[in-house]
Amino acid sequence: MKKQNLPQQTHFIGVLTPEDITLTLEDCRRYMNEAYGCRSGHLTPIHVTLIPPLRLQDEYSTEDLVKAIEQDVLPAGLSFSAKINNFDAFGDRTLFAIVEKDEKWTALRDAVYSAVIKAAPACTKKDQRPFTPHLTVSNRDIPAGVTKDAIEVMNELNLVETFPVNNITIFERKGSRWEAAVSLEI
């Protein structure tokens, strides 16, 4: 079977966490690296993904996304407080800090999707699955069978925190890394 060459993803949109939470979750990433050799995603800033990685066509720019979010999302005043409640995993593939579901997350995600699709039609489409906000610690390269033990270790931290959802951040791919290119205050 011939492998398809898919166009490289160029952008994604998320919400950055405050420094104290970022530092705690970076410690968790270090633990996963030292204990299990996990490295996938560890260079990406800690965030909740609103719109997963997409390819922004050449005729559009990051500035187009910024303008659309400034015009269509920021005036809606969608900031709120979110809560983290320990750790879980999506199977053996992704270990994360649980961000409690809230209709405010869905409203924010939907508003950002609408703005992005309006600014750059056909660059992405809205995921039809229910939105599950989370803060990824490790993904893709977690060895089989270790997730349960890793969650137990991390849950000893008793990470129960509230944080402000006060930004929408556009990430750009720079080589093999994702960088926060523009962060807009909600």
Side-chain angles (χ1 to χ4, degrees):
M1 187 171 174
K2 187 176 180 180
K3 185 178 177 182
Q4 276 188 314
N5 286 328
L6 298 174
Q8 187 175 48
Q9 298 156 327
T10 60
H11 294 75
F12 77 87
I13 300 175
V15 173
L16 290 169
T17 57
E19 185 177 7
D20 59 333
I21 292 169
T22 294
L23 292 173
T24 297
L25 295 178
E26 284 175 350
D27 285 345
C28 293
R29 285 179 171 178
R30 267 189 290 289
Y31 167 76
M32 290 300 291
N33 177 262
E34 291 167 6
Y36 303 111
C38 299
R39 297 182 335 169
S40 180
H42 288 198
L43 297 177
T44 303
I46 302 288
H47 67 280
V48 173
T49 300
L50 296 174
I51 298 181
L54 57 94
R55 174 150 184 82
L56 194 61
Q57 299 94 337
D58 292 340
E59 63 265 29
Y60 302 110
S61 68
T62 300
E63 188 57 32
D64 293 326
L65 301 180
V66 169
K67 287 177 186 174
I69 292 168
E70 286 176 338
Q71 179 180 341
D72 296 342
V73 181
L74 298 186
L78 297 174
S79 64
F80 61 99
S81 289
K83 187 172 182 182
I84 298 170
N85 193 354
N86 282 312
F87 296 85
D88 201 355
F90 298 126
D92 271 341
R93 185 168 165 83
T94 303
L95 188 140
F96 57 88
I98 301 166
V99 177
E100 292 186 355
K101 291 183 180 183
D102 186 310
E103 62 197 36
K104 293 173 185 172
W105 276 114
T106 303
L108 178 60
R109 190 254 338 229
D110 289 352
V112 173
Y113 256 114
S114 293
V116 167
I117 291 168
K118 181 177 166 185
C123 71
T124 189
K125 62 181 181 176
K126 187 174 162 194
D127 191 341
Q128 296 305 308
R129 296 174 293 185
F131 183 52
T132 305
H134 60 281
L135 295 162
T136 300
V137 172
S138 284
N139 66 351
R140 294 193 307 269
D141 64 354
I142 302 170
V146 304
T147 303
K148 183 177 178 275
D149 291 340
I151 290 171
E152 286 178 15
V153 168
M154 287 185 202
N155 278 338
E156 290 175 9
L157 293 172
N158 195 30
L159 183 62
V160 178
E161 296 280 342
T162 301
F163 69 95
V165 177
N166 59 6
N167 70 87
I168 299 169
T169 300
I170 300 170
F171 295 82
E172 291 179 347
R173 183 182 299 277
K174 301 289 185 189
S176 61
R177 301 180 61 136
W178 288 105
E179 294 181 3
V182 179
S183 196
L184 303 166
E185 187 176 330
I186 300 177

